[in-house]
Structure formats: C-alpha cells, structure tokens
Amino acid sequence: MADLLTELTEGARSDSRARESALPRDDVERAAHAAAPALDALTALAPADTVKIIAEVKRASPSRGDLADIPDPAQLAGRYTEGGASAISVLTEGRRFKGSLDDLSAVKAAVSVPVLRKDFISEPYQVYEARAAGADIILLIVAALEQPALRDLHALVLDLGMTPLVEAHTAEELDRALELDARLIGINARNLKTFELDRDLFGALSSTIPAGVIKVAESAVSGPDDVAHYRRAGADVVLVGEALVTSDPVTTLSSFLAV
C-alpha cells in the first residue's frame, strides 16, 4: 500500500498531466514568462525581532477531513494580511485538500505580500503553471523527489524568479536541502508518509541549518504556545493553516505575532 505522500504526489502529477493535455506546456511557459515578476520572498520573510507568519488558505486535509468552507479565498487572504501575515500559502491540491490554481490566482490578485503555491510538485509543468498563476514561492518536498529531480526543479523555480521553499522532515532530507544551497528551508513536524506529528522535530533539526538560511517551522500549531515553542527553537517563520481557518484569523494572528 502506497504511503500518503506517494499517493498525493502521484495524484497531483496525474492532475497536472490532465491540465497539460488541455493547455500545452509551451503555452503555459509563455504565460509564465509573461507574468508580472515574482515578489522577493526572502526579503519579506527575512529574520526580524518578531516571528513572521505564513498564513494558509486550507479547506481540508487528509488527516482531519473538511476544515472550513472557504467560498472566497481572496477575502480570507485579505483578512490574513490585515492580521499581519508576511506571506500567504495557498493549497492547490484538489483531491484531498480541495484547493485549486484558481484559488492561488484569486489570492494573488487580492494581496501585496508573496504567495506560496503549496502542492505536491514533481514536474516542470507544475512550476510553470504556478508562475503563470502568480506564485512567488513554490514548495518543494524533499521526501517526494529524487535528488536529481529536486535539483532540476529547484533551479527552474529560481530561473523563473521565484523562491523555493524546500521542505525536510529528517536529518538526511535536510542535508539534501542544504546541498542545493536553499535559502528558505521548512521543517515539517508532520511526517507526510504517515501524517503523524512531532512538534519537537524542528528544534532537533534546525540547529544544523547555517546562518543566512531562513528557517520555517511547519505544522503542529494550534495556539500561541506552539508558535512560541518554535520561536524559542530558532524559527524565523511559522506556517499556520488549520488554526487560522477554524478561528477568527485576525485575532488569532495577533496572538501568534505577540509571542
């Protein structure tokens, strides 16, 4: 039986190929190159005296099922920026997270902060369509990719002017991310193969990330104490989804940023 990460990656690849059959890669490449330049995510997320938050538009997840009815992702993203989010993450995976590239395009048109395409990226077409839709940042999950493919996708993201957020869950995956000279690295507390959580994983791994790399803590955030826990462990940025879509986002963000 395939693990969840494999299932999600293969499903996202299949959906991407279906989109490619309707809109050929050459057309998407032209749209990507014609899009307005990507925003500088490294500056937006640079270390500061207070923690920074990437706030996520997230309707559902494999571990929790439906989380929130989000008829207007742009309106939610606007609330996030009102609350002080430094960037917006948009889940575009449709099968288990109920997102879409249309969500990303709508959010991009509504906010002035960088927008992250959060999906299970494994092919260049997905990178081009993300840029065409306005993505400034793209998630690359080390566990989902062999190193040559990870290296090629990382280079393509940079070539298109975007910022790769390279996500690791183990020391070996972190080493692979560092081999790329990645400038934005996420440590995900959630094992994407089993979807189990370990809030202490960030602290165990982040100490080996060199200076000059922006450190992002992902998952296992339900309240301000979790944000404070990650901040004490060295997080520059915390990515939050579920806790925001299931509460008043402005109030919740204010409590998170106060840590």
Side-chain angles (χ1 to χ4, degrees):
M1 179 178 176
D3 61 58
L4 277 169
L5 179 59
T6 300
E7 173 198 323
L8 291 163
T9 303
E10 291 179 350
R13 184 184 302 122
S14 177
D15 293 343
S16 169
R17 290 176 179 176
R19 291 191 297 273
E20 188 172 5
S21 70
L23 186 63
R25 175 167 158 173
D26 285 349
D27 292 343
V28 174
E29 284 191 37
R30 281 193 290 272
H33 288 294
L39 298 178
D40 181 357
L42 294 179
T43 296
L45 299 174
D49 292 339
T50 58
V51 70
K52 293 185 175 181
I53 301 291
I54 301 175
E56 190 158 86
V57 176
K58 182 178 185 178
R59 292 190 175 90
S61 78
S63 60
R64 294 292 301 277
D66 289 346
L67 296 171
D69 180 26
I70 305 174
D72 189 347
Q75 188 270 343
L76 177 60
R79 297 294 310 283
Y80 285 163
T81 57
E82 179 187 344
S86 295
I88 309 297
S89 170
V90 182
L91 269 155
T92 60
E93 195 275 341
R95 300 186 182 208
R96 303 293 288 273
F97 292 90
K98 300 186 177 181
S100 70
L101 280 165
D102 287 342
D103 289 345
L104 190 147
S105 296
V107 168
K108 178 63 179 179
V111 302
S112 58
V113 299
V115 176
L116 161 68
R117 182 187 185 183
K118 194 174 182 189
D119 209 320
F120 299 85
I121 305 297
S122 62
E123 296 192 332
Y125 186 87
Q126 295 165 299
V127 177
Y128 286 115
E129 66 179 358
R131 181 78 282 271
D136 306 292
I137 314 167
I138 291 189
L139 179 69
L140 297 177
I141 302 171
V142 175
L145 299 163
E146 298 296 330
Q147 195 68 3
L150 176 63
R151 187 180 302 113
D152 289 348
L153 290 169
H154 186 269
L156 177 59
V157 172
L158 292 174
D159 285 346
L160 290 172
M162 295 180 288
T163 301
L165 169 57
V166 185
E167 177 182 296
H169 181 74
T170 68
E172 184 270 337
E173 291 173 14
L174 179 55
D175 287 342
R176 290 176 56 198
L178 293 172
E179 284 179 20
L180 304 172
D181 196 26
R183 299 285 307 283
L184 184 66
I185 291 181
I187 302 297
N188 196 342
R190 189 178 298 280
N191 182 329
L192 290 179
K193 297 183 178 181
T194 65
F195 267 62
E196 295 175 346
L197 286 170
D198 178 3
R199 194 183 71 156
D200 294 326
L201 182 70
F202 178 86
L205 297 181
S206 64
S207 61
T208 64
I209 298 176
V213 176
I214 299 171
K215 300 183 285 294
V216 184
E218 304 175 43
S219 300
V221 177
S222 59
D225 287 348
D226 298 310
V227 177
H229 175 83
Y230 283 138
R231 183 65 169 170
R232 287 192 298 271
D236 302 305
V237 182
V238 178
L239 192 153
V240 187
E242 183 176 331
L244 293 175
V245 300
T246 57
S247 68
D248 177 77
V250 175
T251 301
T252 303
L253 274 167
S254 296
S255 70
F256 289 174
L257 291 168
V259 306

